[in-house]
Amino acid sequence: MQVTDRREQIARTAIAIIGEHGFAQCTFKRITEEAGLSSTRLVSYHFKDKNELLMTLLTTTIGRADELMAARLAGTTDRVAMLRGYIESQVDLLRLHPAYARTIVEVGRHVADFAPVLRDFRVGRLERQLAQGKTEGVFGDIDVTVTAQCVRSAIDGATERSAEGLDMADYGRAVADLFVKAVLA
């Protein structure tokens, strides 16, 4: 197996473990067992430490979220449609790739080293979008930081409730409707 293939296999296995069992259960030993590797040294060979592995997990999961958002927002310049598309694409990540969504949330909760990367992904982009919409007069006099945090909390709430049988598409639309109404000028 090629080095890049093995790295991808290890990353996919770690995402699956975090998605199903949580961050604390994602050990090199468990990755080795579930990936069918002969030794934990194979994980250490491909990733110098757990932080490098976790950064790979974040770039992989955030990359997938970006793909969903880019597909949803292709050609969109309307601020309201962009806000709706942002929210619905984030909820789509949970619907289509629940382990990816949970990995982002779990790594964010447990690894302070990645706070700047996660902050920009989770709220920074949205803050910039809301600020631009406010400047253009599309959005009202809102606190963009508080609004972005509230949107993120609503999305993360879906992550927590997904096991309860929540219809993610309906949830995404309802959350988007709520925030669009809340921010319009």
Side-chain angles (χ1 to χ4, degrees):
M1 186 176 275
Q2 298 281 6
V3 170
T4 55
D5 294 341
R6 182 68 75 195
R7 281 178 61 90
E8 288 173 14
Q9 176 193 20
I10 292 167
R12 280 192 314 271
T13 301
I15 290 167
I17 291 167
I18 293 172
E20 188 172 339
H21 304 287
F23 182 83
Q25 299 301 314
C26 188
T27 63
F28 280 15
K29 182 177 188 281
R30 185 151 195 181
I31 293 168
T32 300
E33 291 168 358
E34 294 199 19
L37 304 175
S38 59
S39 167
T40 58
R41 286 182 288 168
L42 283 171
V43 178
S44 299
Y45 173 78
H46 291 284
F47 298 94
K48 70 178 181 182
D49 57 22
K50 194 163 186 175
N51 277 349
E52 182 182 359
L53 172 61
L54 292 172
M55 183 54 85
T56 298
L57 300 185
L58 286 179
T59 57
T60 300
T61 55
I62 290 170
R64 181 62 50 92
D66 286 347
E67 290 169 7
L68 291 172
M69 189 166 30
R72 175 145 333 220
L73 296 178
T76 303
T77 57
D78 176 75
R79 291 288 167 200
V80 173
M82 290 173 77
L83 175 59
R84 176 175 296 287
Y86 173 87
I87 294 168
E88 290 178 356
S89 70
Q90 293 293 303
V91 175
D92 274 351
L93 179 68
L94 177 58
R95 182 174 60 81
L96 299 170
H97 307 285
Y100 281 60
R102 185 158 187 219
T103 296
I104 293 167
V105 171
E106 287 281 308
V107 171
R109 278 194 190 129
H110 293 93
V111 186
D113 292 351
F114 300 123
V117 171
L118 285 170
R119 187 196 183 291
D120 190 59
F121 169 73
R122 294 167 59 72
V123 295
R125 299 172 184 187
L126 185 56
E127 286 175 344
R128 290 187 294 277
Q129 184 183 71
L130 292 168
Q132 187 63 36
K134 187 175 172 180
T135 298
E136 293 168 359
V138 176
F139 301 145
D141 186 25
I142 58 170
D143 183 316
V144 297
T145 301
V146 170
T147 303
Q149 287 289 347
C150 289
V151 168
R152 188 74 245 170
S153 292
I155 293 165
D156 289 350
T159 304
E160 300 299 323
R161 296 194 50 221
S162 63
E164 300 171 13
L166 185 66
D167 182 306
M168 290 294 119
D170 288 346
Y171 184 86
R173 279 189 298 277
V175 170
D177 288 345
L178 174 71
F179 282 101
V180 163
K181 288 175 186 171
V183 301
L184 285 176

